[in-house]
Amino acid sequence: MKKVYPLIIALITFSVLGILYIQLSWIKNARIVKSEEYLRDLEKTVLGVRSLCYNSFINAEGYNPEQLDEANKEYLLITKFTAQAISPEEMNMIIVRAMKNQGIKQPFEYCVTNLYNNPISASKGFESSMFAESVDIRLSPPMSPQTETFFLYVKEPQNYITRQMASMIIASIFFTIIIISAFALTIRTMLRQKNISEIKSDFINNMTHELKTPLATISLAVDALNNEKVIHDPEKIRYYGGMIKEENRRMHKQVETILQAAKLEKQEDLNLSVQSLDAHAAIDKVAKNLSLQIQEKSGELHLNLMAGKSFVDVDEMHFSNIIFNLLDNAIKYSKDAPVIHITTQVVNGMLSIKIKDNGIGMSRETASRAFEKFYRAHTGNLHNVKGFGLGLSYVKNMVEAMNGHIKLESALGKGTTFTILMPLSKHNND
């Protein structure tokens, strides 16, 4: 399965890049086609100008172009036609009409030259440099002794062709963005599913390990109770019975931890019994309960409960569990002898509880994910660290459920500091 994800990502990436290449090629080719179409429209325009000039000249001679037969029309044009007979205003109207017929609305300049390339009629803005960029056509009839050439210069603005294709380009960019977004979302979803799958596997492995040990102990204790030598020894029966009870309590706690995590998924299922509680007393009580564990590891726990106001509105059980989890983590993730400091003070109208340890610390990545459910950091050689990865997730959810905030600061090899901010109770003012 691990090889499938990279293959799928590579195939999708290749497909998206292929689509982008095709899109860019299509836009490039479409622009070329549009440019060629534009040049054809200009050629049709000058053909239209010549035709309209002929009709204008015939009208000026007193004939109707539609009623005059082709032979007489051709004779008249060959013998008498010249662009000089058409006024600049009339020529301007002819060009506008011819351009309009081809859908061209850009500003223009024009010039008509004779056999010697000397201008005989031109717009005011036409310059000699425009000849090279103009579209030209012989204005005189083929058999005419005169040779007059019409030059049309259209002032094409920068990116005119691109602007003509604006709707297609915008649509192409829009759908390309959708494709890329869908691709990114797909990759993100795949990686997230992969991560969830790994977390699920880790959770199952951790849960199996956590439940296997007490079950094995209970099994051994039950076998011992069936031993003939133990049946008649009340002291050993109490010993093994106490062992079974302790391991059963341990399994019950683990199951409750998992069930509690499930309840935290839905805030409405939390039945918090919020009341005014002396945080200092609750912290001191939890510290005493864990003092034996700290002593077994030759550690130290320093309480610096200096806050002038210590009453907070919290659920007593969950608040104690929060402190217990953070202290338990500080003990579990210590190098050798844990040194833990708990400090309290009032900050911006809230009670700040700071728990600092000298443990193995966390990397930046681990610290950013520490509060994620089921996430467990790699602990190197600390194989004795057990759990489901639910402790800090529970802590964060419960702190926020009681309108508090929590943050952590950590560095590898330098320990970790958790800071909890809880709202002060009105009881402090009594």
Side-chain angles (χ1 to χ4, degrees):
M1 193 67 180
K2 291 182 179 180
K3 295 182 179 179
V4 174
Y5 282 109
L7 178 61
I8 293 175
I9 292 173
L11 289 174
I12 295 176
T13 303
F14 181 75
S15 299
V16 171
L17 291 176
I19 291 172
L20 289 176
Y21 175 77
I22 292 172
Q23 285 282 79
L24 292 174
S25 299
W26 176 83
I27 291 174
K28 181 180 178 181
N29 293 332
R31 195 178 189 283
I32 293 172
V33 170
K34 198 73 177 177
S35 298
E36 293 175 350
E37 181 183 334
Y38 175 69
L39 291 176
R40 286 195 297 270
D41 289 340
L42 286 179
E43 291 173 358
K44 291 178 182 179
T45 298
V46 293
L47 286 171
V49 168
R50 184 171 64 181
S51 178
L52 292 172
C53 282
Y54 288 169
N55 289 339
S56 177
F57 177 78
I58 293 170
N59 281 324
E61 291 293 314
Y63 300 100
N64 187 334
E66 296 180 359
Q67 295 177 353
L68 194 65
D69 59 79
E70 289 299 321
N72 290 327
K73 182 187 295 185
E74 185 178 354
Y75 176 79
L76 180 63
L77 292 172
I78 290 173
T79 57
K80 294 186 176 183
F81 177 78
T82 175
Q84 291 175 314
I86 303 173
S87 66
E89 293 78 13
E90 180 70 15
M91 180 64 79
N92 191 75
M93 291 175 61
I94 288 173
I95 297 172
V96 169
R97 182 179 172 185
M99 292 179 64
K100 186 177 180 182
N101 290 339
Q102 301 304 322
I104 302 174
K105 301 178 181 179
Q106 303 308 117
F108 65 90
E109 300 293 342
Y110 76 92
C111 180
V112 181
T113 61
N114 59 17
L115 177 63
Y116 304 103
N117 293 325
N118 294 321
I120 59 174
S121 176
S123 59
K124 293 180 180 180
F126 194 90
E127 298 176 0
S128 58
S129 59
M130 295 178 179
F131 279 113
E133 298 180 18
S134 298
V135 181
D136 62 274
I137 191 173
R138 179 187 169 97
L139 201 58
S140 303
M143 301 298 293
S144 175
Q146 300 188 64
T147 302
E148 296 180 351
T149 306
F150 173 77
F151 292 87
L152 177 64
Y153 173 80
V154 178
K155 296 180 180 178
E156 182 181 327
Q158 190 176 13
N159 300 323
Y160 171 73
I161 301 299
T162 304
R163 285 168 57 187
Q164 290 288 95
M165 298 171 59
S167 59
M168 289 189 295
I169 293 174
I170 290 172
S172 177
I173 293 173
F174 175 73
F175 288 114
T176 300
I177 290 173
I178 290 178
I179 290 172
I180 294 174
S181 300
F183 164 69
L185 184 61
T186 301
I187 297 299
R188 180 183 176 187
T189 302
M190 287 178 59
L191 294 176
R192 186 176 180 183
Q193 289 298 324
K194 179 176 179 288
N195 185 45
I196 290 174
S197 178
E198 291 175 351
I199 288 173
K200 183 180 72 173
S201 297
D202 290 342
F203 171 72
I204 292 173
N205 291 335
N206 290 333
M207 184 175 67
T208 302
H209 177 77
E210 290 290 324
L211 296 179
K212 185 177 180 180
T213 302
L215 285 173
T217 304
I218 290 173
S219 178
L220 291 172
V222 170
D223 290 340
L225 287 173
N226 290 327
N227 191 296
E228 290 292 333
K229 295 180 180 180
V230 176
I231 291 176
H232 302 292
D233 189 334
E235 185 176 345
K236 288 185 177 180
I237 290 176
R238 284 194 295 272
Y239 172 77
Y240 288 115
M243 184 183 295
I244 292 172
K245 183 177 181 180
E246 178 61 25
E247 293 300 322
N248 182 68
R249 184 194 65 78
R250 179 179 168 187
M251 282 197 300
H252 178 74
K253 181 181 178 182
Q254 290 166 348
V255 172
E256 281 297 317
T257 300
I258 297 171
L259 292 175
Q260 188 65 52
K263 286 183 178 180
L264 287 173
E265 292 283 347
K266 300 179 180 179
Q267 292 290 325
E268 63 270 15
D269 292 336
L270 292 174
N271 296 317
L272 298 178
S273 178
V274 178
Q275 57 185 345
S276 182
L277 175 71
D278 186 352
H280 287 173
I283 293 170
D284 187 64
K285 183 178 179 181
V286 174
K288 287 179 181 178
N289 291 338
L290 289 171
S291 59
L292 186 60
Q293 291 185 37
I294 296 173
Q295 290 173 11
E296 287 177 351
K297 298 191 73 172
S298 302
E300 300 175 12
L301 175 61
H302 302 280
L303 299 180
N304 303 308
L305 310 180
M306 306 298 291
K309 298 179 180 180
S310 61
F311 282 87
V312 288
D313 290 326
V314 294
D315 181 291
E316 181 178 1
M317 181 191 72
H318 289 296
F319 181 78
S320 298
N321 287 342
I322 289 168
I323 303 300
F324 177 87
N325 273 285
L326 295 179
L327 289 178
D328 188 50
N329 270 7
I331 296 169
K332 287 195 298 184
Y333 290 97
S334 62
K335 296 176 182 177
D336 297 307
V339 178
I340 306 168
H341 295 269
I342 303 179
T343 306
T344 64
Q345 59 182 329
V346 176
V347 178
N348 296 327
M350 301 185 80
L351 177 65
S352 170
I353 304 169
K354 187 173 290 187
I355 300 176
K356 181 179 180 181
D357 64 57
N358 66 334
I360 62 174
M362 305 180 195
S363 66
R364 183 177 298 180
E365 179 187 359
T366 300
S368 66
R369 301 184 60 189
F371 294 112
E372 290 182 18
K373 190 168 62 173
F374 300 125
Y375 179 76
R376 300 187 72 226
H378 298 291
T379 56
N381 295 324
L382 295 178
H383 301 292
N384 59 318
V385 178
K386 302 176 183 179
F388 299 131
L390 296 172
L392 291 182
S393 173
Y394 165 81
V395 168
K396 184 176 188 297
N397 282 300
M398 292 314 306
V399 167
E400 292 178 351
M402 292 185 287
N403 301 316
H405 306 282
I406 184 170
K407 66 176 181 178
L408 72 87
E409 299 172 24
S410 187
L412 279 175
K414 297 183 179 180
T416 302
T417 301
F418 286 93
T419 303
I420 303 172
L421 293 172
M422 299 302 296
L424 287 169
S425 171
K426 294 181 180 179
H427 185 75
N428 288 289
N429 299 324
D430 294 345

